[in-house]
Amino acid sequence: MEHGKIAQVALGTGGPLVGVQGLGCMGMSEYYGATDEPAARDTLDAALEAGVTLFDTADVYGLGRNEEFLAPFVAAHRDEIVLATKFALVRRPDDPSYRGIRNDRDHIRSSVEGSLKRLGVETVDLYYMHRRDPAVPLAESVGAMAELVAEGKVRHLGLSEVTGAELREAHAVHPIAAVQSEWSLFSRDVELSAVGAAAELGVAFVPYSPLGRGFLTGAFADAGKELTAGDFRQVQPRFSGENARANGVLLEPVRAVAAARGVSPAQIALAWVHQRAEVHGLAVVPIPGTRKRSRLLENTAASRITLTAEELALLEPIAGRVAGDRYPDMTFTSLAREA
């Protein structure tokens, strides 16, 4: 399949024009085992060459190291890219297992200052609330984020893992450009309310983990046994024991469609996500993560695949049959707050 530049789409009503596929940069610093910085930097260059312009990071990735890693690339291409980062998740260097959430104004303001410094920029193009803390009024958090727009520190606002009702509430305080949540052939709970609300409001959807954290690539013969030390998927329910074996069987139609077309299972899985734009009537910009140029080119080529009605019908039942939750603790996902 050819590897030309990908198409572009507006990131929500009034949002910036971006390539129809972005790049999740989290794995370039941690979570998926050993990293390869030279290969990752080559992948950043390959992404830009392919028309990828939305680059996604967060202050929590590598405890700030991912933002620092991206800084030289950002400096070299600032006018060519749309830079997204996030606040809200809190980790402790002395306790790798700790995860907290803060949505209060003081934390938002200190977080953006830290991100601006690490990234070496004066303005973040898209600033997400990484997770929602129901104990903090949403209007208070979005109001604090809106202050950053007024001050020129942020251009556009985003939310992650929110329900449709929460998106509507936030959008009434300040326009939201994008919602980032997990969405794939394995994970479709965002379709309960968030996708419909985003379409109604003109908000773009940015699916993270559109390849099911790699499961949908078909790369694992036995996911529970093949993950290396330091790979956080070792504790993800879908990659463990009987769940992993059951989910492996669900890949059969993905492999069949891919084989018939002469493409990879990953490309079929990504093509399905891209086609949600037409199905639901909104901009959809998935951000698969990779550290390899070859995978980057494979992923972007998937944006040019259009699945037939027959192929979509084969893939439709998969999500309803997946074994295991998305996370060991689903407390801070949008699904936990669906009415």
Side-chain angles (χ1 to χ4, degrees), residues 74-82 155:
V74 172
H77 303 285
R78 187 66 189 99
D79 295 336
E80 303 170 74
I81 69 173
V82 173
R155 290 194 175 96

Side-chain angles (χ1 to χ4, degrees), residues 34-48:
T35 59
D36 183 338
E37 184 170 316
R41 293 204 178 280
D42 181 57
T43 300
L44 293 174
D45 292 335
L48 197 57

Side-chain angles (χ1 to χ4, degrees), residues 1 12 20 37 42 59 85 90 131 141 158 164 169 184 196-197 210 214 218-219 223 238 242 266 280 290 308 319:
M1 181 173 289
V20 75
E37 184 170 316
D42 181 57
D59 61 359
T85 192
V90 179
R131 290 292 185 273
S141 301
E169 182 182 351
S184 72
R238 292 177 178 179
E242 287 300 321
H280 294 281
T290 183
T308 66

Side-chain angles (χ1 to χ4, degrees), residues 183 188 191 195 199 271-282 284 312 316:
W183 198 6
R188 297 180 61 177
E191 295 173 25
V195 170
W272 181 90
V273 175
H274 279 289
Q275 222 154 324
R276 300 306 92 193
E278 177 184 347
V279 171
H280 294 281
L282 78 170
V284 176
L312 291 170
E316 180 64 24

Side-chain angles (χ1 to χ4, degrees), residues 274-314:
H274 279 289
Q275 222 154 324
R276 300 306 92 193
E278 177 184 347
V279 171
H280 294 281
L282 78 170
V284 176
V285 184
I287 51 169
T290 183
R291 296 172 288 194
K292 297 180 180 178
R293 174 181 282 263
S294 60
R295 294 299 183 200
L296 184 283
L297 296 176
E298 177 183 325
N299 291 346
T300 53
S303 70
R304 290 182 281 274
I305 297 174
T306 300
L307 300 172
T308 66
E310 292 77 13
E311 290 169 330
L312 291 170
L314 284 173

